Amino acid sequence: QVRLAESGGGLVQAGDSQRLSCAASGGTLGSYAMGWFRQFPGKGREFVACISRSGSSTVYADFVEGRFTISRDNAKNTVYLQMNRLKPEDTAVYSCAASVYRTPASPADYNYWGQGTQVTVSS
């Protein structure tokens, strides 16, 4: 069973950049498509981005507007989310997830989840 652990969250100011990491253990990350989701208090998970097993395909939510980049290093069993030009409305808990599908955008299509990391963007 794949275990995922996010890191890199914290408090930043609007306009700043932040990089989240998702490290996998107990399995080979390259066997899964990987996604990032975020969750606001009292709300369900919102799709942010996903990347195919090889990294050749990526999908982003519309709200990203070119500010975020998802990438992966299968040799390091790690997926990244580079977030630039952060806005206060990006404040949320960000979670990574692994899927046996190609580039799924629905949380229901993901098999394994990390615990999440809090990202807070101050104005």
Side-chain angles (χ1 to χ4, degrees), residues 46-58:
E46 178 181 63
F47 172 74
V48 177
C50 64
I51 187 167
S52 60
R53 292 180 182 83
S54 67
S56 60
S57 296
T58 56

Side-chain angles (χ1 to χ4, degrees), residues 35-38 45-50 59-61 63 104-107 110:
W36 284 97
F37 290 80
R38 65 185 188 181
R45 290 183 172 121
E46 178 181 63
F47 172 74
V48 177
C50 64
V59 179
Y60 294 94
F63 73 82
S106 170
Y110 284 81

Side-chain angles (χ1 to χ4, degrees), residues 5 13 19 26 31 38 42 49 61 69 80 85 93 109 116:
Q13 292 188 331
R19 188 177 81 159
S31 298
R38 65 185 188 181
T69 302
Y80 306 97
R85 304 194 306 276
V93 174
D109 290 332

Side-chain angles (χ1 to χ4, degrees), residues 2 4 22 24 28-37 47 49-54 70 72 74 79 96-114:
V2 176
L4 304 173
C22 172
T28 303
L29 196 71
S31 298
Y32 301 92
M34 297 297 297
W36 284 97
F37 290 80
F47 172 74
C50 64
I51 187 167
S52 60
R53 292 180 182 83
S54 67
I70 187 171
R72 66 190 300 158
N74 287 341
V79 175
C96 64
S99 173
V100 297
Y101 297 103
R102 188 168 185 269
T103 49
S106 170
D109 290 332
Y110 284 81
N111 307 92
Y112 305 104
W113 291 85

Side-chain angles (χ1 to χ4, degrees), residues 82-94:
Q82 176 68 42
M83 304 186 292
N84 299 326
R85 304 194 306 276
L86 282 162
K87 305 175 182 179
E89 51 263 45
D90 293 319
T91 296
V93 174
Y94 285 72

